[in-house]
């Protein structure tokens, strides 16, 4: 029997004790123990086998000296004990519990004889080396992980375990750490399965005079560790966290007596500081950190691991712990670390931080943690400017900072977060000042007959119209539209032609929609996508507090509130605005005089506004090429953007506003540029630091500037642009004599247009800026970038149109009507999406007219984009087949630098996308949601 | 009440992804029952309108206008009226009306609505009963209801199809005999109400006796009645009532979820009481 056990020991777990009766095992165990005791007693200074020495005394002395006190123990005796113990442990592990959960005889013996404590004392008596610890840890790991009956309920087992654990705190040997964390992890698993042991852990700690929850405290140092050890520690901690949700005592202890939360939060800061401050950007198209990007950055992987751990803790832990952790993350990471990082001195650093922030927002899923990040973005002020305002202002910066900022906002908008949307856009729309007073009732109206859709599609540039598309694309993209759904799919083509019978019930009631018309199939996809995105948005927004339909919240009652309290805002300090060039740029020779003129600028249409953005872009491009640097200009612009961002929050005197308006109405066409120059040529350092008043002047200047630009934009373009501004003509006034008076309830007859300066607007008493027609910096910055579509690079346009399409899918009538209702009449100072689209269309038409090969280029760009799409889709899909069926690309190659060509193609697609969204809104936003 | 459904839009077809994606994009699946016909371009010439590029979107506008009309009908929750657009054409709607009191009590009348293809700029839609009901305003031969008297001019934005349906319901509760399509019914109503009533009862009986007939128009979405069959109907009934009882739970489990920390009535972000954890 004994030999069998011995074999089993050599062979690990492969041995099966089946058939060996418990009594035999007990006898073997006792025999082994007797042998062990002999050796133990031989070296026991007190020579007492019955009375145990005080553990704490021994521990203390062992800790202080760390060496043997009674002479060395011979090696053969030590290994004999070890052998016996291994056999005994094996027997203990294999023993099942007795009847009704009673201890098995071996366990009972172990408890009675205090076997484990005496073994621990023995190991202390010998040199308590790392090897010793490792041996003991492994022993318990085996017991805890494999025992067939619960062991930890028994103090004689638990107490020496706790002793061992506490002796391991502060261990540095990696081997011991690994074993320690593994054991702790297993203990946590046991705890999670049987929370009743929890109390015992606390009690045992108290016995040792310690108030802490030892298992937990031991794990904390490993929170941010990389590799398996860190992962096991975090998993173990998470188990305790979920325990805390059920157990107030654990929660209270962790929140009040441990450094868990601070360690976690400050650890984030520590890990963040080791991230690269400047990312190696692969190409110009790059705008956000994808998984394949950050997987190659170990420091970022480690940071994300810890962030995800925070996310998980917040998800499962007790509210007290959650609140504490969230607070530490806010005050220990976001404010002191991330905020300054977002205001670093070089563009590259700021761009990198922005990309990190975007990635973090995409990683975090727990609402409470998201809320922390979002309130940091929305509420926190760095140097008295809200983070959000700074981020918005950066959308308009050249280089990748602008693109990365766009990507960040794409993420923000995709959260369907009311607070974000409120701050970004809705608060500017709630007062309904952006539209004529008479138009307020139109806000909630539905576009029953796809009028807006038709108007949007009518902006399709002639060079991109489906009729002009080359045959290969046309052929694949069109279906025959007819009512003929009754045709079975297996009917041959020739039969189909005959099967288009009109449904006739003998009364001459025909019901055929249209005739044989070829439709753009892609439009069906857009409709389908629109339906998906609108319905998921509607579903998500069900948790919002208000409908934002022009009545809820009521426009009159809108209070700008604490966030925009002008008194709280100080002029920004200079440091905050000093976005300096990276050193590498400074090394470039400065050649302000011979600024090479971009070839693109020559063909830029006169309608392209605003100029300062073009200028900036030009500057930026040249800068990147290393030709010259004009630091001041860029700084000025950044400041202007910051002012745009803060504009809404400032008091603007009504009187000045009015006089400014009358001025601007009289200005000559060219004066906008003049005003612009004035607005940009001041010296930021002087103006800003002098007084707050100069800031107001600046603001006034800027407002005027915006206004002149806007009114110009309205005035300039051709008849196409005029149409949207005029009210719908198709309304009829005369009343029927029919007595169904209630019929008018659904769609009230649109009121006749009032004068552009509605009574309320002119006589408006409120001096607050929020009543000035302004749809907010975010919208204006987006629209101004959109206006530059022809000169934007393809990826910028993809981002821009993607963001706008996402915004357009929001079901809130205020937002929907602002973006999509082409019949809504806005205040003259307010620019609408439709106006900007019309401007872009004109630019495209002009460019198409000047180049003979434009259609050819369009085709090339279309093919390029189709090929690009195919690369997104898995092989074997329809897309693949389609490409194969396309003619071999004997088309001319097209360079991505032909931004105006790509813009034309993309613009056409974007119109379809918007039109489809508008059309789906007319149905989806009005019916109760179904699955 | 009525099940909340919406007929599938039949236009969708999975085809080559002509759409230029904004990042990764998923292609729409083929909705069931949808079988639009694809034809090689060579077999037909695209209809090009002088109006320009958007001419080919015309059918979309019509289809969506009709869908919008249909959602309006749903929204109205007209008592005792149920309609369903035809599978074959959005211009043809099948309907049934239940009369719950009055002279026509217990009448169940199936009808079809025909919408002109130049909707909403054309004539007013027609409403034809499957079986000509004995009524002064219903043509005794064709079964067509005189709708035009209520909508002598169909005005877009003002007139909607639900109004026609409501009108169809009203005529059974408030009898009008001026300029009748069925003079016999009109005269009887004026001169001999008792006889009128008995004729109405006969007519109601006749209509109800044909309730389980095959639909007059062969269409997958035509309304057809069958005797109560627990194996078929019990489950559907159960579903309807379950949905009514727990409308909140309806969307539980869907992954898309919005966020809001705005206190109702406030326009401030993070104004909810449990909001800023860092304060």
């Amino acid at each position: 029997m004994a030999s069998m056990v011995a074999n089993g020991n050599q062979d690990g777990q492969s041995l099966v004790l089946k058939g060996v009766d418990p009594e035999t095992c007990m006898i073997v165990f006792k025999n082994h123990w007797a042998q062990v005791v002999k050796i133990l007693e031989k070296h026991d200074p007190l020579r007492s086998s019955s009375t145990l020495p005080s553990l704490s005394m021994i521990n203390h002395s062992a800790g202080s000296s760390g060496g043997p006190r009674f002479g060395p123990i011979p090696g053969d005796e030590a290994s004999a004990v070890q052998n016996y113990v291994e056999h005994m442990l094996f027997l203990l592990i294999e023993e099942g519990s007795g009847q009704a959960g009673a201890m098995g005889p071996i366990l009972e013996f172990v408890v009675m004889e205090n076997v484990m404590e005496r073994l621990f004392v023995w190991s202390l008596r010998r040199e308590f080396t790392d090897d010793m610890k490792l041996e003991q840890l492994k022993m318990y790991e085996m017991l805890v992980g494999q025992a067939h009956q619960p062991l930890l309920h028994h103090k004689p087992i638990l107490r020496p375990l706790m002793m061992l654990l506490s002796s391991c705190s502060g261990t540095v040997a990696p081997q011991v750490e690994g074993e320690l964390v593994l054991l702790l992890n297993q203990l946590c698993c046991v705890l999670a399965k049987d929370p009743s042991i929890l109390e015992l852990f606390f009690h045992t700690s108290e016995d040792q005079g310690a108030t802490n929850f030892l298992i937990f405290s031991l794990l904390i140092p490993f929170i941010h560790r990389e590799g398996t050890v860190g992962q096991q520690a975090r998993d173990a901690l998470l188990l305790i966290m979920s325990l805390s949700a059920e157990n107030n005592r654990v929660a209270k202890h962790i929140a009040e007596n441990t450094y868990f939360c601070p360690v976690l939060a400050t650890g984030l800061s520590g890990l963040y500081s080791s991230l690269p401050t400047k990312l190696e950007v692969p190409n110009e198209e790059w705008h956000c950190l994808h998984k394949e990007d950050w997987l190659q950055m170990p420091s970022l992987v480690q940071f994300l691991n810890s962030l995800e751990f925070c996310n998980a803790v917040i998800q499962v832990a007790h509210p007290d712990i959650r609140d504490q952790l969230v607070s530490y993350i806010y005050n220990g990471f976001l404010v002191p670390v991330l905020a300054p990082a977002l205001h670093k001195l070089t563009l590259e650093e700021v761009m990198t931080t922005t990309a990190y922030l975007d990635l973090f927002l995409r990683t975090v899923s727990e609402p409470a943690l998201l809320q922390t990040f979002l309130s940091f973005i929305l509420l926190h002020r760095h140097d008295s400017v809200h983070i959000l305002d700074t981020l918005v202002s950066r959308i308009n910066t050249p280089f990748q900072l602008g693109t990365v900022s766009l990507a960040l906002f794409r993420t923000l908008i995709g959260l369907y977060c009311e607070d974000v949307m409120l701050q970004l856009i809705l608060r500017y729309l709630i007062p309904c000042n952006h539209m004529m007073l008479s138009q307020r009732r139109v806000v909630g109206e539905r576009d029953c007959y796809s009028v807006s859709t038709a108007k949007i599609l009518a902006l399709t540039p002639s060079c991109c119209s489906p009729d002009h598309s080359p045959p290969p694309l046309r052929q694949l993209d069109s279906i025959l539209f007819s009512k003929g759904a009754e045709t079975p799919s297996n009917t041959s083509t020739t039969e189909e032609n005959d099967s288009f019978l009109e449904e006739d019930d003998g009364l001459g009631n025909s019901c055929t929609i249209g005739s044989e018309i070829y439709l753009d199939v892609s439009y069906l996809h857009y409709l389908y996508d629109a339906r998906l995105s609108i319905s998921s948005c509607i579903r998500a927004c069900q948790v919002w507090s208000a409908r934002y339909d022009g009545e809820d919240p009521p426009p009159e009652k809108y209070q700008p509130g604490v966030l925009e309290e002008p008194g709280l805002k100080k002029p920004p300090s200079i440091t905050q605005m000093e976005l300096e060039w990276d050193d590498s740029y400074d090394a470039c020779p400065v050649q302000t005089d011979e600024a090479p003129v971009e070839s693109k600028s020559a063909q830029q249409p006169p309608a392209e506004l605003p100029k300062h953005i073009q200028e900036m872009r030009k500057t930026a491009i040249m800068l990147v090429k290393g030709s010259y640097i004009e630091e001041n200009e860029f700084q000025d612009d950044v400041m202007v953007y910051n002012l745009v961002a803060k504009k809404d929050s400032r008091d603007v005197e009504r009187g000045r506003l009015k006089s400014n308006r009358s001025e601007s109405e009289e200005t000559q066409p060219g004066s906008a540029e003049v005003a612009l120059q004035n607005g940009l040529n001041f010296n930021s350092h002087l103006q800003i630091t002098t007084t707050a008043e100069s800031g107001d002047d600046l603001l006034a200047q800027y407002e005027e500037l915006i206004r002149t630009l806007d009114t110009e934009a309205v005035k300039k373009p051709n008849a196409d642009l005029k149409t949207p501004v005029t009210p719908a003509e198709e309304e009829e006034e005369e009343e029927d004599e029919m007595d169904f008076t209630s019929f008018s309830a659904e769609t009230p007859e649109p009121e006749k247009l009032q004068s552009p300066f509605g009574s309320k607007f002119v006589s408006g008493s409120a001096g607050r800026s929020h009543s000035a027609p302004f749809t907010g910096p975010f919208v204006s910055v987006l629209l101004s970038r959109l206006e530059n579509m022809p000169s934007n690079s393809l990826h910028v346009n993809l981002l821009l149109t993607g963001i706008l399409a996402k915004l357009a899918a929001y079901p809130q009538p205020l937002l929907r009507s602002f973006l999509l209702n082409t019949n809504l009449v806005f205040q003259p100072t307010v620019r609408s999406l439709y106006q900007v689209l019309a401007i872009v269309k004109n630019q495209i038409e002009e460019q198409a007219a000047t180049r003979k090969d434009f259609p050819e280029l369009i085709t090339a760009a279309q093919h390029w984009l189709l090929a690009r799409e195919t690369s997104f889709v898995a092989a074997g899909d329809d897309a693949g087949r389609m490409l194969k069926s396309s003619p071999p690309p004997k088309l001319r190659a097209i360079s991505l630098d032909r931004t105006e060509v790509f813009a034309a193609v993309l613009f056409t697609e974007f119109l379809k996308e918007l039109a489809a969204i508008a059309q789906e809104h007319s149905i989806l936003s009005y019916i109760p949601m179904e699955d | 009440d009525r099940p909340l459904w919406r007929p599938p839009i039949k236009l969708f077809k999975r085809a080559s992804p002509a759409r230029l994606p904004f990042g990764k994009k998923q292609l729409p699946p083929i909705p069931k029952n949808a079988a639009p016909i694809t034809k090689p371009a060579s077999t037909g010439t695209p209809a090009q309108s002088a109006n320009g590029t958007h001419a080919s979107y015309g059918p979309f506008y019509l289809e969506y206008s009709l869908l919008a009309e249909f959602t309006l009908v749903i929204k109205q929750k007209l008592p005792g009226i149920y309609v369903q657009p035809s599978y074959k054409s959005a211009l043809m709607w099948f309907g049934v009306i239940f009369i719950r009191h009055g002279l026509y009590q217990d009448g169940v009348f199936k009808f079809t609505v025909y919408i002109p293809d130049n909707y909403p700029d054309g004539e007013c839609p027609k409403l034809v009963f499957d079986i000509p009901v004995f009524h002064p305003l219903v043509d005794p031969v064709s079964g067509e209801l005189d709708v035009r008297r209520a909508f002598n001019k169909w005005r877009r934005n003002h007139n909607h199809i639900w109004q026609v349906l409501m009108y169809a319901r009203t005529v059974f509760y408030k009898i009008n005999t001026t300029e009748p399509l069925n003079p016999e019914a009109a005269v009887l109503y004026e001169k001999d109400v008792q006889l009128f009533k008995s004729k109405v009862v006969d007519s109601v009986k006749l209509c109800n006796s044909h309730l389980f007939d095959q639909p007059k128009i062969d269409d997958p979405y035509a309304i057809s009645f069958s005797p109560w069959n627990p194996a078929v109907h019990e489950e559907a009934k159960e579903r309807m009532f379950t949905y009514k009882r727990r409308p909140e739970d309806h969307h539980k489990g869907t992954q898309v979820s919005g966020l809001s920390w705005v206190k109702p009535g406030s326009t401030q972000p993070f104004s909810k009481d449990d909001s800023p954890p860092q304060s």
Side-chain angles (χ1 to χ4, degrees), chain A residues 887-901:
Chain A
K890 56 189 174 188
L891 297 136
R892 59 184 284 176
I894 180 161
S895 155
L896 273 178
D897 293 339
R898 304 304 303 263
T899 56
E900 77 285 0
V901 179

Side-chain angles (χ1 to χ4, degrees), chain A residues 418 496 505 738 747 869 920, chain B residues 19 37 64 114 150 157 260:
Chain A
E418 181 176 12
E496 278 174 29
D505 62 353
M738 190 186 67
T747 35
E869 171 159 11
E920 278 293 336
Chain B
R19 137 163 219 145
I37 295 140
Y64 271 77
Y114 298 94
N157 283 322
S260 172

Side-chain angles (χ1 to χ4, degrees), chain A residues 212-213 216-221 223-224 237 241 252-267 309 321 324-325 328:
Chain A
N212 62 350
F213 180 12
F216 184 78
S217 317
L218 284 174
L219 282 167
I220 291 182
I223 289 179
H224 300 291
L237 282 166
M241 286 304 133
K252 199 168 175 247
H253 171 76
I254 292 171
E256 289 174 9
N257 300 329
T258 74
Y259 290 111
F260 177 67
C261 293
V263 164
L264 206 45
T266 50
F309 179 62
I321 300 174
Q324 198 186 39
L325 177 56
Y328 273 109

Side-chain angles (χ1 to χ4, degrees), chain A residues 601-609 611 614 790 842-843 846-847:
Chain A
S601 62
Q603 35 173 289
Q604 263 156 5
E608 191 166 285
L609 289 168
K611 265 266 160 32
Q614 287 180 34
N842 289 334
Q843 294 175 20
E846 279 174 38
Q847 274 156 354

Side-chain angles (χ1 to χ4, degrees), chain A residues 450-761:
Chain A
S450 303
V451 175
S452 295
T453 300
K455 282 193 172 167
I456 291 168
L457 286 171
L459 292 178
T460 306
S462 52
C463 56
C464 294
S465 101
D467 300 338
H468 294 174
S469 289
L473 290 178
R474 282 279 293 149
Q475 179 177 345
L476 291 155
D477 291 1
S478 49
I479 57 166
L480 181 63
F481 183 93
S482 89
K483 53 138 194 149
E486 71 267 32
T487 315
S489 49
N490 55 0
T491 322
S492 76
T493 318
T494 42
E495 278 167 330
E496 278 174 29
N497 279 326
D498 302 328
S499 65
F500 295 137
L501 302 166
E502 299 229 323
E503 192 66 41
D504 201 317
D505 62 353
L507 293 165
N509 294 313
S510 90
C511 37
T512 307
I513 294 185
S515 50
E516 294 189 12
I517 296 174
Y518 282 91
L519 294 170
D520 191 352
V521 169
S522 69
Y523 190 66
L524 298 179
H525 294 288
Y526 285 117
L527 282 172
Y528 190 82
D529 284 353
R531 186 154 159 211
L532 286 185
S533 86
I534 293 172
S535 31
S536 56
C537 197
I538 289 176
R539 220 174 293 135
C541 293
Q542 280 173 340
V543 300
W544 285 26
S545 76
R547 292 193 304 273
Y548 300 97
D549 56 359
E551 288 165 20
D552 169 30
E556 300 77 19
K557 284 190 183 159
Y558 178 71
Q559 296 293 323
V562 203
L563 280 177
E564 296 103 56
E565 205 56 56
L568 288 177
K569 271 201 176 176
K570 292 169 216 122
S573 75
I574 301 161
T575 51
Q576 175 261 321
M577 320 191 125
E578 274 175 341
L579 264 184
E580 285 172 4
W581 305 118
D582 183 11
D583 292 346
S584 55
Y585 293 137
D586 288 332
C588 299
V590 179
Q591 310 171 346
T592 13
D593 287 339
E594 48 154 327
V597 180
E598 272 285 300
S599 59
K600 241 171 255 146
S601 62
Q603 35 173 289
Q604 263 156 5
E608 191 166 285
L609 289 168
K611 265 266 160 32
H612 64 283
I613 290 162
Q614 287 180 34
E615 287 301 323
M616 225 169 75
R617 193 170 186 284
K618 221 195 300 175
T619 311
I621 289 166
M622 287 185 286
L623 217 131
V624 168
K625 289 176 180 165
S627 45
Y628 86 121
I629 174 171
E630 251 179 29
E631 193 171 301
N632 279 334
E633 261 191 30
F634 181 63
Q635 279 190 351
D636 292 347
D637 283 339
V638 168
M639 191 168 65
V640 171
Y641 299 131
N642 278 327
L643 284 170
V644 184
K646 294 190 300 136
K647 182 174 175 291
D648 60 287
S649 65
R650 297 300 197 97
D651 257 0
V652 177
E653 281 174 47
R654 177 62 59 204
R656 193 201 297 176
L657 195 70
K658 266 161 70 183
S659 67
N660 279 350
R661 174 168 295 107
S662 52
E663 271 170 38
S664 69
E665 275 162 358
E666 292 157 14
T667 46
Q668 303 300 310
S671 66
E673 282 89 308
V674 178
L676 188 61
Q677 294 302 321
N678 292 340
L680 292 181
N681 283 347
F682 59 83
N683 182 305
S684 59
H685 294 257
L686 284 179
Q687 292 260 344
I688 284 186
T689 44
T690 44
T691 56
E693 224 174 2
S694 68
D696 281 345
D697 280 347
L698 184 72
L699 199 70
Q701 275 181 329
Y702 190 77
E703 275 177 345
E704 185 180 334
L705 210 140
I706 290 265
R707 230 177 2 261
T708 32
L709 293 179
D710 286 342
T711 41
E712 265 230 330
V714 177
K715 268 185 258 165
K716 217 154 208 160
N718 61 13
D720 269 1
L721 189 55
K722 286 255 159 64
T723 39
V725 193
T726 55
E729 318 91 307
E730 59 271 352
E731 321 304 342
E732 292 162 45
E733 265 74 75
E734 45 149 317
E735 263 303 320
D736 235 9
E737 34 175 73
M738 190 186 67
D739 58 351
F740 288 92
T741 44
S742 63
F743 287 1
S744 59
E746 170 64 22
T747 35
E749 185 170 338
E751 178 185 318
K752 281 194 178 168
L753 263 191
Q754 296 185 350
S755 74
F757 298 98
S759 54
K760 165 139 195 214
F761 185 73

Side-chain angles (χ1 to χ4, degrees), chain A residues 738 743, chain B residues 124 147-154 159 163-164:
Chain A
M738 190 186 67
F743 287 1
Chain B
C124 122
V147 176
R148 211 161 298 180
R149 69 169 60 213
F151 307 88
N152 54 7
K153 187 162 191 248
W154 188 263
N159 293 132
Q163 296 164 346
V164 175

